[in-house]
C-alpha cells in the first residue's frame, strides 16, 4: 500500500446533489491509500467569501480549489486535497473545502447543517471564514454551531445522555478568519491582538431580547466546544475589481502587501500548530482511518440517523484491530523464521526464541490496536500465535527427526554392512557387535545440534536392533548358556534405562514448557499493564484539560454577570471531579486480559497462572 497517493488537484469527497449527500468512491479510495497520520484542515463559511483561496494558499499550488467570481456558489458538497505536509515528515495534510453556507440555490437548508457538522467531525483544525467583522450578524450566521449537539452524538446508547463536555475531547481547534477587515484593532482606546478581538466578540452580553439570547447561545457554544481558538484578519487582497474576480490568476506581487503578509502568517500558523487528527486516548487517525470515519458519518446521515462518535470509532477500531492482529501475527512469524535455527539444539532454546518473539509481536499489537474492550482481537492474536507456535514446534521436530535419522544412518553404515555380511556370526561375534554398536552410539552423541528428537530417534534405532542382537547372541558359540542369560538380562536393563532416560527428558521438557508459559504470562500481563497505565494517564490528562477549560468558562461567566449559568457549570464541574476520583478500572481490565491468556494455556498451567494473576493483582 502506498503511504500517500499523488493528487494533482482537489476531488469531491462528499457530493451534495438532489438534496442528498453521497460519498465519492474514488475519493474514498484515495484516502484508503494513505497510511500516514493526517492533519485535517476544513474551512466553512458563507458562499463567495474566499474560503477556497485560503485552501489553495495552504496547498501551495495553483490552480486548486475552484474560485468563482459570480453570485453562484462554486463548491458543492465537500472537496478534498491531500498534499505532503510541509513541516511534518511522514504526515499528510488533508484540506477540506466546503460548500458555501446560505447558498440560495441549495434546495435543502438542512444540508448546510450537515456539511458544517461533517467539517467539525472530520477536521483537526476547523476554520470559519466570514467577511468584514465579527458582530451580532456574524453570530447569527454561525447558528450551525448551536445545532451540533442535535446533529452529533458522542455515545452509542440512547439511554446515555451526551455530556456537552464530551465533545471537547473530539472536536477540532477553532480558527476564525475575517476577510476584507477594515476596522482598527482597538478596544477602549488600547490596541488589541486579533485573538483578543475574537475573545471580546465571544463575551456574553445581557439578554434583552430573543435575538441577543440566540447570539449568546452561539458564543457560549463556541467557547464550550472549542477551548483552543485563534483569529486572523485579512485586508482586502486588491482594490481592483477585475483582479479580484480572477484572483487565482493574479501574480502574488500584484496583491496588497498586507494581505500577502497576513496570508503567509495564516499558512505558517496552520503548518506549525494544526494538530494531527486524533480520536481520543491518543489514538492517531491515518488517511485510511479518516476514510472509515467519513463513510460511517455519511452513511448515518443518509439513513436518517445522527452520526455517532462512539460508533464511528468502534467501526474504525474493528478494522484497525483486525489489521493489528494480522500485523502482529506476521511479525511473530517473520521473527521466528529469522531467529530460529532448525533444528534447535534443545527445546529450551526453541522456547526462549518463542517467548521473545511473542513478546515483540504482542508489543506490535498493543501499539496498533485500540478500543478492544471485550478483548476479542487480543484473543484472536493469542490463538493465532499459539497455532503458529505449534506449527514451528512441528517443523522443529521434523527437522530434528530428519537430521537425526540421516546422521544415524551414516554412522551405522559400517555396523549394518557387517551384520549383512555375517561378520558377527562367529564365536566372539556378540562382543564385537556390542563394541560396534557402542561406537555408533558414542559417535552419535558427538553430533552437534541434533535437536529435540535425538533420543527418540536413537531409541527407535536401538529397538530395531533388538532382534538382530538376540540372534547374534544366541549364535555365539563362545558364550555359555549362563553368559547368554546374563547378557539377555543386561540388555533388558539397558532398554529400561534408555526408556527411563527418555521419560525424564519428556518430563524436563514439560517443565520447561510450563516455565515458558509462566514467563510469557507474566511478561504479557506487564505489557498490558504498561499500555493500560499509559491510556489511563492520557485519559487523566484529557479530563484535566477539560476540567481546566470548564473552570475557566465558569469564572468568565461569573465575571460577565451570568451567575445562574456559572452555578450550573460549577455543579457539573464538581460532578466531573468526583467521577475522576472514582475512575480506576485497571485491576478489572487486567483481569479481563488475563482471561484471554487463560483460554490458550494448557490445563496443567492454568491453575499456576491463575494463582500468579491473583497474587499480582492483590499487590495493586
Amino acid at each position: 500500500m502506498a503511504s500517500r497517493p499523488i493528487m494533482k488537484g482537489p476531488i469531491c469527497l462528499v457530493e451534495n446533489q438532489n438534496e442528498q449527500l453521497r460519498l465519492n468512491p474514488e475519493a474514498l479510495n484515495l484516502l484508503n491509500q494513505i497510511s500516514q497520520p493526517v492533519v485535517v484542515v476544513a474551512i466553512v463559511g458563507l458562499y463567495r467569501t474566499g474560503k477556497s483561496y485560503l485552501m489553495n494558499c495552504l496547498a501551495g499550488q495553483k490552480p486548486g480549489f475552484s474560485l468563482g467570481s459570480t453570485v453562484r456558489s462554486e463548491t458543492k458538497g465537500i472537496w478534498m486535497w491531500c498534499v505532503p505536509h510541509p513541516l511534518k515528515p511522514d504526515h499528510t495534510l488533508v484540506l477540506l473545502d466546503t460548500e458555501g453556507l446560505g447558498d440560495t440555490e441549495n434546495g435543502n437548508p438542512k444540508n448546510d447543517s450537515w456539511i458544517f457538522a461533517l467539517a467539525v467531525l472530520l477536521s483537526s483544525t476547523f476554520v470559519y471564514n466570514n467577511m468584514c467583522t465579527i458582530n451580532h450578524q456574524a453570530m447569527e450566521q454561525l447558528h450551525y454551531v448551536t445545532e451540533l449537539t442535535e446533529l452529533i452524538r458522542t455515545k452509542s446508547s440512547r439511554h446515555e445522555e451526551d455530556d456537552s463536555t464530551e465533545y471537547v475531547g473530539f472536536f477540532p481547534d477553532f480558527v476564525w478568519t475575517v476577510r476584507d477587515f477594515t476596522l482598527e484593532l482597538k478596544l477602549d482606546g488600547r490596541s488589541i491582538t486579533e485573538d483578543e478581538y475574537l475573545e471580546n466578540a465571544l463575551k456574553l452580553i445581557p439578554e434583552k431580547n430573543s435575538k441577543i439570547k440566540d447570539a449568546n447561545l452561539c458564543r457560549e457554544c463556541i467557547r464550550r466546544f472549542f477551548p483552543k481558538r485563534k483569529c486572523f484578519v485579512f485586508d482586502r487582497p486588491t482594490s481592483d475589481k477585475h483582479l479580484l474576480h480572477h484572483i487565482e490568476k493574479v501574480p502574488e506581487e500584484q496583491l496588497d502587501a498586507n494581505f500577502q503578509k497576513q496570508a503567509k502568517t495564516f499558512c505558517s500558523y496552520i503548518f506549525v500548530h494544526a494538530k494531527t487528527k486524533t480520536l481520543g486516548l491518543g489514538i492517531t487517525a491515518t488517511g485510511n482511518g479518516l476514510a472509515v470515519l467519513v463513510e460511517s458519518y455519511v452513511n448515518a446521515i443518509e439513513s436518517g440517523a445522527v452520526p455517532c462518535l462512539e460508533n464511528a470509532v468502534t467501526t474504525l477500531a474493528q478494522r484497525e484491530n483486525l489489521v493489528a492482529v494480522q500485523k502482529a501475527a506476521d511479525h511473530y512469524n517473520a521473527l521466528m523464521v529469522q531467529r530460529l535455527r532448525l533444528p534447535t539444539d534443545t527445546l529450551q532454546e526453541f522456547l526462549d526464541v518463542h517467548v521473545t518473539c511473542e513478546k515483540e509481536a504482542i508489543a506490535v499489537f498493543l501499539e496498533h490496536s485500540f478500543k478492544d474492550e471485550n478483548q476479542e482481537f487480543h484473543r484472536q492474536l493469542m490463538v493465532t500465535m499459539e497455532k503458529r507456535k505449534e506449527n514451528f514446534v512441528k517443523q522443529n521436530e521434523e527437522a530434528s527427526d530428519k537430521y537425526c535419522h540421516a546422521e544415524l544412518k551414516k554412522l551405522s553404515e559400517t555396523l549394518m554392512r557387517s551384520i549383512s555380511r555375517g561378520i558377527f556370526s562367529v564365536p566372539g561375534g556378540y562382543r564385537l557387535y556390542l563394541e560396534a554398536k557402542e561406537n555408533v552410539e558414542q559417535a552419535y552423541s558427538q553430533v552437534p545440534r541434533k535437536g529435540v528428537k535425538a533420543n527418540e530417534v536413537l531409541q527407535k534405532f536401538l529397538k530395531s536392533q533388538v532382534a538382530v542382537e538376540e540372534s547374534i547372541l544366541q549364535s555365539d558359540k563362545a558364550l555359555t548358556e549362563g553368559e547368554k542369560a546374563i547378557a539377555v538380562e543386561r540388555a533388558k536393563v539397558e532398554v529400561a534405562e534408555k526408556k527411563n532416560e527418555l521419560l525424564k527428558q519428556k518430563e524436563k521438557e514439560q517443565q520447561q514448557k510450563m516455565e515458558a508459559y509462566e514467563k510469557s504470562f507474566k511478561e504479557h500481563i506487564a505489557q498490558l499493564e504498561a499500555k493500560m497505565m499509559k491510556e489511563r494517564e492520557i485519559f487523566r490528562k484529557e479530563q484535566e484539560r477539560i476540567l481546566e477549560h470548564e473552570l475557566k468558562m465558569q469564572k468568565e461567566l461569573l465575571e460577565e454577570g451570568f451567575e445562574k449559568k456559572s452555578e450550573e457549570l460549577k455543579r457539573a464541574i464538581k460532578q466531573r471531579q468526583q467521577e475522576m476520583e472514582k475512575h480506576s478500572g485497571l485491576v478489572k481490565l487486567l483481569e479481563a486480559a488475563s482471561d484471554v491468556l487463560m483460554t490458550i494455556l494448557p490445563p496443567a498451567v492454568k491453575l499456576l497462572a491463575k494463582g500468579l494473576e491473583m497474587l499480582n493483582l492483590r499487590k495493586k
Side-chain angles (χ1 to χ4, degrees):
M1 179 185 289
S3 62
R4 180 178 57 238
I6 297 173
M7 289 184 67
K8 295 182 179 179
I11 185 172
C12 187
L13 174 64
V14 181
E15 299 169 353
N16 183 10
Q17 297 291 338
N18 302 320
E19 302 186 13
Q20 294 290 320
L21 298 181
R22 293 282 186 273
L23 278 171
N24 178 5
E26 184 183 352
L28 209 60
N29 181 54
L30 285 170
L31 266 184
N32 270 314
Q33 294 177 51
I34 300 175
S35 57
Q36 294 180 336
V38 290
V39 175
V40 188
V41 180
I43 192 165
V44 171
L46 297 180
Y47 74 106
R48 307 266 40 85
T49 55
K51 302 185 306 301
S52 301
Y53 182 84
L54 286 183
M55 288 288 103
N56 290 338
C57 287
L58 291 174
Q61 300 180 48
K62 289 182 181 181
F65 291 106
S66 179
L67 307 180
S69 57
T70 67
V71 295
R72 182 185 296 272
S73 172
E74 287 292 324
T75 306
K76 294 293 184 183
I78 299 176
W79 284 67
M80 174 185 77
W81 198 355
C82 303
V83 297
H85 197 287
L87 298 182
K88 295 182 179 180
D90 302 320
H91 280 64
T92 296
L93 178 62
V94 179
L95 303 173
L96 300 179
D97 189 17
T98 64
E99 176 177 337
L101 304 175
D103 184 359
T104 55
E105 295 182 12
N106 186 348
N108 185 1
K110 186 70 174 177
N111 280 1
D112 279 355
S113 299
W114 284 127
I115 286 171
F116 187 95
L118 282 172
V120 170
L121 285 168
L122 297 175
S123 63
S124 54
T125 295
F126 177 87
V127 181
Y128 181 72
N129 188 72
N130 85 307
M131 300 294 289
C132 300
T133 183
I134 302 176
N135 56 15
H136 183 73
Q137 183 183 2
M139 291 298 169
E140 285 184 331
Q141 291 168 344
L142 192 49
H143 65 88
Y144 305 98
V145 76
T146 67
E147 302 170 7
L148 287 175
T149 54
E150 298 172 17
L151 300 176
I152 301 169
R153 287 186 59 83
T154 59
K155 304 289 186 185
S156 59
S157 173
R158 295 191 175 274
H159 301 295
E160 289 186 77
E161 286 191 16
D162 285 349
D163 179 356
S164 61
T165 54
E166 294 276 350
Y167 294 93
V168 175
F170 288 94
F171 279 8
D173 295 340
F174 185 92
V175 175
W176 194 318
T177 53
V178 186
R179 312 296 290 278
D180 296 358
F181 186 77
T182 57
L183 301 177
E184 272 193 286
L185 283 174
K186 284 192 173 183
L187 182 65
D188 298 330
R190 69 177 182 87
S191 296
I192 58 172
T193 65
E194 294 157 300
D195 291 343
E196 287 173 328
Y197 171 65
L198 172 61
E199 293 309 309
N200 183 67
L202 292 178
K203 286 182 178 179
L204 303 190
I205 58 178
E207 297 176 346
K208 296 177 181 179
N209 55 54
S210 60
K211 284 191 174 182
I212 294 177
K213 188 174 182 180
D214 290 342
N216 270 354
L217 179 59
C218 181
R219 293 182 177 97
E220 194 175 348
C221 286
I222 293 173
R223 286 162 59 173
R224 175 164 292 194
F225 294 148
F226 305 102
K228 187 175 180 182
R229 300 182 291 271
K230 185 72 179 173
C231 182
F232 292 92
V233 298
F234 296 82
D235 290 357
R236 194 174 181 84
T238 175
S239 56
D240 187 322
K241 282 189 177 182
H242 177 73
L243 293 180
L244 195 62
H245 291 163
H246 304 281
I247 194 169
E248 74 277 9
K249 297 177 182 177
V250 177
E252 192 175 288
E253 58 271 16
Q254 291 187 34
L255 297 176
D256 180 84
N258 279 340
F259 177 81
Q260 290 182 49
K261 183 180 178 182
Q262 290 158 347
K264 287 178 181 176
T265 302
F266 167 76
C267 291
S268 176
Y269 175 85
I270 294 296
F271 295 150
V272 173
H273 296 286
K275 61 189 180 185
T276 304
K277 175 70 176 174
T278 59
L279 308 170
L281 289 180
I283 302 164
T284 299
T286 58
N288 39 46
L290 188 65
V292 174
L293 294 180
V294 67
E295 191 170 18
S296 175
Y297 296 142
V298 174
N299 286 345
I301 294 169
E302 283 188 73
S303 68
V306 174
C308 174
L309 292 164
E310 188 175 46
N311 284 346
V313 173
T314 298
T315 299
L316 177 59
Q318 293 279 327
R319 192 179 88 163
E320 293 299 307
N321 290 346
L322 196 61
V323 172
V325 169
Q326 190 62 47
K327 188 176 291 186
D330 289 346
H331 189 64
Y332 170 80
N333 217 72
L335 289 177
M336 289 290 280
V337 169
Q338 177 187 338
R339 296 175 184 178
L340 272 182
R341 181 184 163 195
L342 300 180
T344 59
D345 193 24
T346 62
L347 177 64
Q348 189 62 56
E349 180 187 333
F350 175 90
L351 292 173
D352 288 344
V353 173
H354 157 71
V355 169
T356 303
C357 295
E358 181 188 60
K359 181 180 179 181
E360 292 183 34
I362 289 168
V364 168
F365 172 77
L366 294 178
E367 179 186 354
H368 293 92
S369 64
F370 62 95
K371 206 175 172 60
D372 187 17
E373 292 172 351
N374 296 322
Q375 307 297 320
E376 172 191 351
F377 295 96
H378 202 152
R379 183 176 287 103
Q380 281 186 31
L381 173 63
M382 296 310 296
V383 170
T384 300
M385 281 202 296
E386 185 65 16
K387 287 179 179 177
R388 294 195 179 188
K389 184 197 84 171
E390 289 305 318
N391 185 47
F392 280 111
V393 167
K394 186 178 179 183
Q395 289 180 39
N396 191 39
E397 290 176 348
E398 288 174 349
S400 175
D401 188 84
K402 183 179 179 181
Y403 178 63
C404 290
H405 271 106
E407 288 298 308
L408 203 49
K409 182 179 179 181
K410 187 166 57 177
L411 294 172
S412 64
E413 280 180 353
T414 303
L415 174 66
M416 303 308 289
R417 195 162 45 246
S418 297
I419 292 171
S420 63
R421 290 179 180 177
I423 300 297
F424 304 121
S425 301
V426 294
Y430 182 66
R431 180 179 58 79
L432 295 174
Y433 169 79
L434 291 180
E435 289 175 357
K437 187 180 75 167
E438 186 177 347
N439 288 338
V440 171
E441 289 186 56
Q442 286 186 353
Y444 181 72
S445 70
Q446 298 302 312
V447 175
R449 299 190 64 83
K450 294 186 293 296
V452 294
K453 289 291 185 177
N455 283 346
E456 192 174 319
V457 170
L458 179 60
Q459 292 306 308
K460 286 181 180 178
F461 170 77
L462 294 177
K463 190 175 181 180
S464 71
Q465 294 297 303
V466 169
V468 175
E469 184 174 332
E470 177 69 17
S471 174
I472 293 172
L473 173 63
Q474 296 304 327
S475 64
D476 192 340
K477 296 179 180 179
L479 297 174
T480 64
E481 292 301 319
E483 288 173 328
K484 290 179 181 180
I486 292 171
V488 168
E489 290 303 316
R490 187 185 301 116
K492 288 180 180 179
V493 170
E494 287 180 1
V495 169
E497 287 176 349
K498 295 291 184 183
K499 281 185 178 180
N500 191 47
E501 185 181 332
L502 191 59
L503 182 62
K504 284 182 177 180
Q505 180 191 339
K506 295 290 183 185
E507 289 175 350
K508 181 181 178 182
E509 288 179 349
Q510 191 61 36
Q511 180 63 28
Q512 288 173 340
K513 286 179 182 178
M514 288 184 69
E515 289 172 357
Y517 274 116
E518 180 187 338
K519 182 180 179 182
S520 176
F521 183 87
K522 286 180 176 179
E523 290 188 348
H524 199 152
I525 289 294
Q527 285 175 288
L528 285 167
E529 183 177 5
K531 179 179 181 178
M532 290 170 187
M533 289 292 287
K534 181 180 178 182
E535 288 181 348
R536 190 167 66 167
E537 181 62 16
I538 292 171
F539 175 80
R540 185 187 64 78
K541 286 182 177 179
E542 284 187 358
Q543 292 301 301
E544 286 180 351
R545 181 174 66 88
I546 293 171
L547 187 61
E548 183 181 349
H549 168 56
E550 288 178 326
L551 288 167
K552 181 173 178 284
M553 269 195 67
Q554 190 248 334
K555 181 182 177 182
E556 289 171 348
L557 287 170
L558 192 61
E559 290 172 349
E560 291 164 16
F562 289 82
E563 291 85 358
K564 187 177 179 182
K565 289 179 181 290
S566 177
E567 192 60 34
E568 287 174 357
L569 190 52
K570 185 178 180 180
R571 286 195 293 270
I573 291 170
K574 188 175 181 181
Q575 185 178 349
R576 176 175 295 279
Q577 288 172 323
Q578 290 171 348
E579 288 175 359
M580 284 178 66
E581 288 172 6
K582 290 190 298 182
H583 181 79
S584 178
L586 184 61
V587 170
K588 186 177 179 181
L589 287 170
L590 284 175
E591 287 174 344
S594 66
D595 286 342
V596 173
L597 304 185
M598 296 293 284
T599 61
I600 56 97
L601 290 175
V605 190
K606 287 185 178 180
L607 186 60
L608 171 65
K610 196 66 180 175
L612 288 167
E613 170 203 349
M614 295 305 296
L615 183 63
N616 288 334
L617 290 175
R618 282 173 186 168
K619 294 177 182 178
K620 304 297 176 189

